[in-house]
């Protein structure tokens, strides 16, 4: 869902019981203006932590990344005999919500991160462990140009990406707008107090 820094500031001030003060000298920033600057600076770190640590049910669908038709998924044969597809993700990637290849029977809803015990499953010679159409798996890896999500479980090298939802680091744009999971917004307001 889309929010603004101004809305976040008003909600934080409301929780603190603060009211805007009128008739301040023009060169003196108001409490709201000072708080907006601090919230803009803290949002990426605090928001990323909340998204990373949240239960999957609190993340919603995530943002549709890149308009699926524009994404390139590079196929490679995996040790299990099936294909894995590498999809580049942005440097500000935080968490996978859903990923699906056209031939899969269901979505994958999480990515095994480097260092996790499950991350090594991608090298298994068993498709049921590494990933297959009925139990697909996704792994976050480092590619030639940055991070990639490796989707394992396709029988054909011609399979196509049909869905990808993920959350990126929440950063306010020049208008103060940012994307953030609606169910986590109350936690964001509390964390900014």
């Amino acid at each position: 869902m889309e929010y603004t820094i101004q809305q976040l500031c008003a909600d934080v001030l409301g929780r603190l019981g603060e009211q805007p003060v009128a008739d301040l000298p023009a060169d003196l920033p108001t409490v709201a203006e000072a708080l907006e600057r601090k919230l803009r600076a803290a949002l990426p770190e605090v928001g990323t932590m909340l998204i990373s640590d949240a239960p999957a049910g609190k993340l919603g669908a995530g943002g549709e990344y890149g308009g699926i038709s524009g994404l390139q998924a590079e196929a490679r044969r995996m040790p299990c005999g099936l294909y894995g597809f590498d999809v580049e993700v942005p440097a500000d990637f935080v968490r996978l919500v859903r990923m699906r290849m056209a031939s899969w029977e269901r979505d994958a809803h999480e990515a095994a991160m480097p260092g996790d015990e499950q991350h090594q499953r991608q090298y298994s010679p068993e498709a049921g462990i590494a990933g297959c159409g009925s139990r697909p798996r996704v792994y976050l890896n480092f590619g030639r140009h940055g991070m990639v999500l490796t989707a394992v479980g396709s029988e054909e090298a011609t399979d196509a990406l049909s869905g990808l939802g993920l959350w990126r680091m929440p950063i306010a744009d020049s208008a103060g707008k940012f994307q953030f999971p609606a169910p986590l917004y109350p936690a964001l307001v509390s964390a900014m107090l």
Side-chain angles (χ1 to χ4, degrees):
M1 184 162 178
E2 188 172 82
Y3 295 97
T4 65
I5 288 292
Q6 294 78 14
Q7 177 184 359
L8 180 59
C9 181
D11 291 340
V12 169
L13 286 173
R15 282 267 188 97
L16 292 171
E18 294 287 329
Q19 298 295 323
V21 178
D23 301 328
L24 288 176
D27 60 339
L28 187 63
T30 65
V31 172
E33 291 168 339
L35 183 58
E36 281 181 24
R37 284 195 298 272
K38 289 184 180 195
L39 293 175
R40 187 180 286 272
L43 177 63
E45 182 179 347
V46 174
T48 296
M49 179 194 65
L50 289 170
I51 292 169
S52 295
D53 295 343
K58 294 246 180 188
L59 294 175
E64 193 69 35
Y65 173 59
I68 296 303
S69 62
L71 289 177
Q72 298 298 318
E74 199 173 305
R76 62 185 165 102
R77 180 76 77 165
M78 300 300 288
C80 65
L82 297 178
Y83 287 92
F85 288 83
D86 292 336
V87 177
E88 289 186 25
V89 292
D92 61 356
F93 167 81
V94 175
R95 189 160 170 192
L96 177 71
V97 177
R98 63 183 165 69
M99 186 172 196
R100 187 176 191 122
M101 300 299 289
S103 71
W104 290 359
E105 296 171 27
R106 64 185 189 97
D107 293 348
H109 294 283
E110 62 183 315
M113 307 300 262
D116 287 351
E117 182 180 305
Q118 293 184 358
H119 194 263
Q120 296 302 315
R121 290 181 175 189
Q122 66 186 306
Y123 306 114
S124 173
E126 300 292 328
I129 293 173
C132 60
S134 62
R135 288 184 25 201
R137 298 205 186 274
V138 178
Y139 306 91
L140 182 67
N141 291 307
F142 297 99
R144 292 186 300 251
H145 304 291
M147 295 184 294
V148 296
L149 290 173
T150 302
V152 179
S154 299
E155 293 183 14
E156 303 290 331
T158 57
D159 205 359
L161 185 64
S162 65
L164 177 59
L166 54 82
W167 283 105
R168 300 171 75 167
M169 182 183 297
I171 298 173
D173 63 15
S174 60
K177 297 178 182 177
F178 63 95
Q179 298 290 321
F180 197 75
L184 294 180
Y185 184 74
L188 179 64
V189 172
S190 294
M192 293 295 197
L193 294 176

